[in-house]
Short mmCIF file of all heavy atoms in Angstrom, two decimals:
data_model
loop_
_atom_site.label_atom_id
_atom_site.label_comp_id
_atom_site.label_asym_id
_atom_site.label_seq_id
_atom_site.Cartn_x
_atom_site.Cartn_y
_atom_site.Cartn_z
N ALA A 849 0.57 -5.72 10.14
CA ALA A 849 -0.38 -6.60 9.41
C ALA A 849 -0.55 -6.10 8.00
O ALA A 849 -0.53 -4.88 7.74
CB ALA A 849 -1.69 -6.65 10.09
N PRO A 850 -0.74 -6.99 7.01
CA PRO A 850 -1.06 -6.56 5.64
C PRO A 850 -2.31 -5.68 5.65
O PRO A 850 -3.18 -5.83 6.50
CB PRO A 850 -1.29 -7.88 4.91
CG PRO A 850 -0.57 -8.88 5.67
CD PRO A 850 -0.63 -8.43 7.09
N LEU A 851 -2.41 -4.81 4.68
CA LEU A 851 -3.50 -3.88 4.58
C LEU A 851 -4.18 -4.05 3.25
O LEU A 851 -3.51 -4.08 2.19
CB LEU A 851 -2.96 -2.44 4.72
CG LEU A 851 -3.95 -1.29 4.55
CD1 LEU A 851 -4.98 -1.32 5.66
CD2 LEU A 851 -3.21 0.02 4.57
N ASP A 852 -5.49 -4.19 3.27
CA ASP A 852 -6.30 -4.23 2.03
C ASP A 852 -6.93 -2.90 1.80
O ASP A 852 -7.51 -2.30 2.77
CB ASP A 852 -7.39 -5.30 2.14
CG ASP A 852 -6.85 -6.73 2.16
OD1 ASP A 852 -5.66 -6.91 1.89
OD2 ASP A 852 -7.65 -7.64 2.49
N LEU A 853 -6.81 -2.36 0.58
CA LEU A 853 -7.43 -1.08 0.27
C LEU A 853 -7.74 -1.00 -1.18
O LEU A 853 -7.25 -1.84 -2.00
CB LEU A 853 -6.54 0.08 0.71
CG LEU A 853 -5.07 0.13 0.26
CD1 LEU A 853 -4.94 0.65 -1.15
CD2 LEU A 853 -4.33 1.01 1.19
N ASP A 854 -8.56 -0.08 -1.59
CA ASP A 854 -8.88 0.20 -2.99
C ASP A 854 -8.16 1.41 -3.46
O ASP A 854 -8.16 2.46 -2.77
CB ASP A 854 -10.41 0.40 -3.18
CG ASP A 854 -11.23 -0.84 -2.85
OD1 ASP A 854 -10.68 -1.97 -3.10
OD2 ASP A 854 -12.34 -0.69 -2.37
N ALA A 855 -7.56 1.33 -4.66
CA ALA A 855 -6.81 2.46 -5.22
C ALA A 855 -6.83 2.36 -6.72
O ALA A 855 -7.21 1.32 -7.30
CB ALA A 855 -5.36 2.42 -4.72
N SER A 856 -6.49 3.45 -7.40
CA SER A 856 -6.52 3.52 -8.86
C SER A 856 -5.38 2.77 -9.50
O SER A 856 -5.49 2.27 -10.60
CB SER A 856 -6.57 4.94 -9.34
OG SER A 856 -5.43 5.66 -8.82
N ASP A 857 -4.20 2.69 -8.79
CA ASP A 857 -3.07 1.96 -9.29
C ASP A 857 -2.12 1.59 -8.18
O ASP A 857 -2.37 1.98 -7.04
CB ASP A 857 -2.31 2.79 -10.39
CG ASP A 857 -1.82 4.13 -9.90
OD1 ASP A 857 -1.39 4.23 -8.72
OD2 ASP A 857 -1.84 5.09 -10.69
N ALA A 858 -1.08 0.79 -8.49
CA ALA A 858 -0.18 0.30 -7.44
C ALA A 858 0.56 1.46 -6.71
O ALA A 858 0.78 1.38 -5.51
CB ALA A 858 0.80 -0.70 -8.04
N GLU A 859 0.98 2.44 -7.47
CA GLU A 859 1.70 3.57 -6.81
C GLU A 859 0.82 4.32 -5.83
O GLU A 859 1.25 4.66 -4.72
CB GLU A 859 2.24 4.50 -7.92
CG GLU A 859 3.20 5.54 -7.40
CD GLU A 859 4.49 4.94 -6.80
OE1 GLU A 859 4.92 3.84 -7.23
OE2 GLU A 859 5.05 5.53 -5.87
N ASN A 860 -0.43 4.52 -6.24
CA ASN A 860 -1.36 5.22 -5.33
C ASN A 860 -1.63 4.32 -4.11
O ASN A 860 -1.69 4.83 -2.97
CB ASN A 860 -2.65 5.50 -6.11
CG ASN A 860 -3.63 6.28 -5.30
OD1 ASN A 860 -4.41 5.71 -4.55
ND2 ASN A 860 -3.60 7.59 -5.49
N ALA A 861 -1.76 3.02 -4.31
CA ALA A 861 -1.97 2.11 -3.17
C ALA A 861 -0.81 2.13 -2.22
O ALA A 861 -0.96 2.13 -1.00
CB ALA A 861 -2.17 0.67 -3.74
N ARG A 862 0.42 2.19 -2.74
CA ARG A 862 1.61 2.23 -1.93
C ARG A 862 1.63 3.48 -1.06
O ARG A 862 1.88 3.43 0.16
CB ARG A 862 2.85 2.24 -2.86
CG ARG A 862 4.16 2.31 -2.13
CD ARG A 862 5.33 2.27 -3.13
NE ARG A 862 5.37 1.02 -3.88
CZ ARG A 862 5.98 -0.09 -3.42
NH1 ARG A 862 6.59 -0.07 -2.28
NH2 ARG A 862 5.99 -1.19 -4.16
N HIS A 863 1.28 4.65 -1.64
CA HIS A 863 1.26 5.90 -0.85
C HIS A 863 0.13 5.90 0.20
O HIS A 863 0.36 6.33 1.31
CB HIS A 863 1.14 7.09 -1.81
CG HIS A 863 2.39 7.35 -2.55
ND1 HIS A 863 3.56 7.82 -1.97
CD2 HIS A 863 2.66 7.20 -3.85
CE1 HIS A 863 4.48 7.93 -2.88
NE2 HIS A 863 4.00 7.57 -4.06
N LEU A 864 -1.03 5.41 -0.18
CA LEU A 864 -2.13 5.33 0.76
C LEU A 864 -1.79 4.42 1.96
O LEU A 864 -2.03 4.77 3.12
CB LEU A 864 -3.41 4.78 0.11
CG LEU A 864 -4.14 5.76 -0.79
CD1 LEU A 864 -5.20 5.02 -1.58
CD2 LEU A 864 -4.73 6.89 0.01
N ALA A 865 -1.17 3.30 1.66
CA ALA A 865 -0.84 2.35 2.74
C ALA A 865 0.22 2.93 3.68
O ALA A 865 0.12 2.80 4.90
CB ALA A 865 -0.34 1.04 2.14
N ALA A 866 1.21 3.59 3.11
CA ALA A 866 2.25 4.19 3.94
C ALA A 866 1.66 5.24 4.86
O ALA A 866 2.02 5.32 6.04
CB ALA A 866 3.37 4.77 3.04
N THR A 867 0.76 6.04 4.32
CA THR A 867 0.10 7.09 5.13
C THR A 867 -0.74 6.47 6.22
O THR A 867 -0.67 6.92 7.35
CB THR A 867 -0.75 7.99 4.20
OG1 THR A 867 0.04 8.57 3.21
CG2 THR A 867 -1.47 9.08 5.01
N ARG A 868 -1.51 5.49 5.87
CA ARG A 868 -2.43 4.86 6.88
C ARG A 868 -1.67 4.12 7.98
O ARG A 868 -2.11 4.13 9.12
CB ARG A 868 -3.39 3.88 6.19
CG ARG A 868 -4.41 4.64 5.36
CD ARG A 868 -5.43 3.71 4.80
NE ARG A 868 -6.33 4.42 3.89
CZ ARG A 868 -7.27 3.87 3.20
NH1 ARG A 868 -7.48 2.57 3.29
NH2 ARG A 868 -8.03 4.58 2.42
N ARG A 869 -0.56 3.49 7.65
CA ARG A 869 0.22 2.80 8.65
C ARG A 869 1.32 3.69 9.32
O ARG A 869 1.95 3.27 10.26
CB ARG A 869 0.89 1.57 8.08
CG ARG A 869 -0.03 0.45 7.68
CD ARG A 869 -0.67 -0.18 8.92
NE ARG A 869 -1.30 -1.43 8.58
CZ ARG A 869 -2.58 -1.70 8.74
NH1 ARG A 869 -3.36 -0.77 9.23
NH2 ARG A 869 -3.07 -2.86 8.43
N GLY A 870 1.51 4.88 8.78
CA GLY A 870 2.49 5.80 9.37
C GLY A 870 3.93 5.37 9.17
O GLY A 870 4.75 5.54 10.06
N VAL A 871 4.21 4.78 8.04
CA VAL A 871 5.56 4.31 7.69
C VAL A 871 6.00 4.92 6.36
O VAL A 871 5.17 5.35 5.57
CB VAL A 871 5.62 2.78 7.59
CG1 VAL A 871 5.24 2.11 8.94
CG2 VAL A 871 4.74 2.25 6.51
N PRO A 872 7.30 4.94 6.09
CA PRO A 872 7.78 5.42 4.78
C PRO A 872 7.42 4.38 3.71
O PRO A 872 7.24 3.20 3.99
CB PRO A 872 9.28 5.56 4.95
CG PRO A 872 9.64 4.68 6.09
CD PRO A 872 8.42 4.64 6.99
N THR A 873 7.33 4.82 2.44
CA THR A 873 7.00 3.91 1.38
C THR A 873 8.03 2.77 1.23
O THR A 873 7.74 1.71 0.75
CB THR A 873 6.84 4.63 0.03
OG1 THR A 873 8.00 5.38 -0.22
CG2 THR A 873 5.63 5.52 0.04
N GLY A 874 9.28 3.03 1.66
CA GLY A 874 10.32 2.02 1.63
C GLY A 874 10.08 0.86 2.56
O GLY A 874 10.69 -0.20 2.45
N ALA A 875 9.13 0.99 3.49
CA ALA A 875 8.81 -0.09 4.45
C ALA A 875 7.81 -1.04 3.87
O ALA A 875 7.47 -2.05 4.47
CB ALA A 875 8.21 0.52 5.73
N ILE A 876 7.37 -0.79 2.64
CA ILE A 876 6.45 -1.69 1.95
C ILE A 876 7.20 -2.73 1.12
O ILE A 876 8.08 -2.37 0.34
CB ILE A 876 5.45 -0.89 1.10
CG1 ILE A 876 4.60 -0.02 1.95
CG2 ILE A 876 4.60 -1.80 0.22
CD1 ILE A 876 3.72 0.96 1.22
N ARG A 877 6.91 -3.99 1.38
CA ARG A 877 7.61 -5.08 0.69
C ARG A 877 6.93 -5.46 -0.60
O ARG A 877 7.60 -5.79 -1.60
CB ARG A 877 7.67 -6.30 1.65
CG ARG A 877 8.33 -7.49 1.05
CD ARG A 877 8.56 -8.57 2.10
NE ARG A 877 7.39 -8.98 2.81
CZ ARG A 877 6.59 -9.99 2.45
NH1 ARG A 877 6.85 -10.71 1.38
NH2 ARG A 877 5.54 -10.26 3.15
N LYS A 878 5.57 -5.49 -0.62
CA LYS A 878 4.86 -6.02 -1.77
C LYS A 878 3.52 -5.35 -1.92
O LYS A 878 2.79 -5.14 -0.92
CB LYS A 878 4.71 -7.51 -1.56
CG LYS A 878 4.12 -8.26 -2.69
CD LYS A 878 4.13 -9.77 -2.51
CE LYS A 878 4.31 -10.33 -1.14
NZ LYS A 878 4.18 -11.80 -1.10
N VAL A 879 3.16 -5.01 -3.16
CA VAL A 879 1.83 -4.50 -3.48
C VAL A 879 1.21 -5.39 -4.51
O VAL A 879 1.75 -5.58 -5.57
CB VAL A 879 1.90 -3.05 -4.05
CG1 VAL A 879 0.52 -2.55 -4.46
CG2 VAL A 879 2.58 -2.11 -3.07
N LYS A 880 0.08 -6.04 -4.17
CA LYS A 880 -0.53 -6.99 -5.08
C LYS A 880 -2.00 -6.65 -5.33
O LYS A 880 -2.70 -6.25 -4.41
CB LYS A 880 -0.46 -8.39 -4.48
CG LYS A 880 0.97 -8.92 -4.30
CD LYS A 880 0.98 -10.24 -3.59
CE LYS A 880 0.49 -11.30 -4.57
NZ LYS A 880 0.64 -12.64 -4.04
N ILE A 881 -2.46 -6.89 -6.53
CA ILE A 881 -3.89 -6.77 -6.82
C ILE A 881 -4.53 -8.05 -6.29
O ILE A 881 -4.02 -9.17 -6.54
CB ILE A 881 -4.16 -6.62 -8.29
CG1 ILE A 881 -3.63 -5.28 -8.81
CG2 ILE A 881 -5.66 -6.76 -8.62
CD1 ILE A 881 -3.80 -5.03 -10.28
N ILE A 882 -5.62 -7.92 -5.60
CA ILE A 882 -6.35 -9.08 -5.06
C ILE A 882 -7.22 -9.65 -6.18
O ILE A 882 -8.10 -8.94 -6.70
CB ILE A 882 -7.20 -8.72 -3.85
CG1 ILE A 882 -6.33 -8.13 -2.75
CG2 ILE A 882 -7.99 -9.92 -3.37
CD1 ILE A 882 -7.12 -7.56 -1.59
#
Protein backbone atom coordinates (compact mmCIF):
# COMPACT_ATOMS: atom_id res chain seq x y z
CA ALA A 1 0.00 0.00 0.00
CA PRO A 2 1.12 3.59 -0.59
CA LEU A 3 2.63 5.23 2.48
CA ASP A 4 2.06 8.80 3.66
CA LEU A 5 4.79 10.36 5.77
CA ASP A 6 6.41 13.69 6.61
CA ALA A 7 10.01 14.34 5.58
CA SER A 8 12.35 17.24 4.85
CA ASP A 9 12.80 16.29 1.16
CA ALA A 10 12.01 13.60 -1.41
CA GLU A 11 15.26 11.69 -0.88
CA ASN A 12 14.69 11.53 2.86
CA ALA A 13 11.09 10.42 2.26
CA ARG A 14 12.33 7.65 -0.06
CA HIS A 15 14.74 6.30 2.57
CA LEU A 16 12.17 6.50 5.38
CA ALA A 17 9.56 4.66 3.31
CA ALA A 18 11.99 1.91 2.31
CA THR A 19 12.98 1.41 5.94
CA ARG A 20 9.37 1.36 7.19
CA ARG A 21 8.19 -1.10 4.54
CA GLY A 22 11.37 -3.21 4.69
CA VAL A 23 12.13 -2.91 0.97
CA PRO A 24 15.10 -1.52 -1.01
CA THR A 25 14.79 2.05 -2.30
CA GLY A 26 14.64 0.60 -5.83
CA ALA A 27 11.21 -0.85 -4.96
CA ILE A 28 9.76 2.66 -4.79
CA ARG A 29 7.99 3.75 -7.97
CA LYS A 30 6.95 7.31 -7.12
CA VAL A 31 7.50 9.97 -4.42
CA LYS A 32 5.01 12.83 -4.48
CA ILE A 33 4.35 15.85 -2.30
CA ILE A 34 0.73 15.78 -1.15
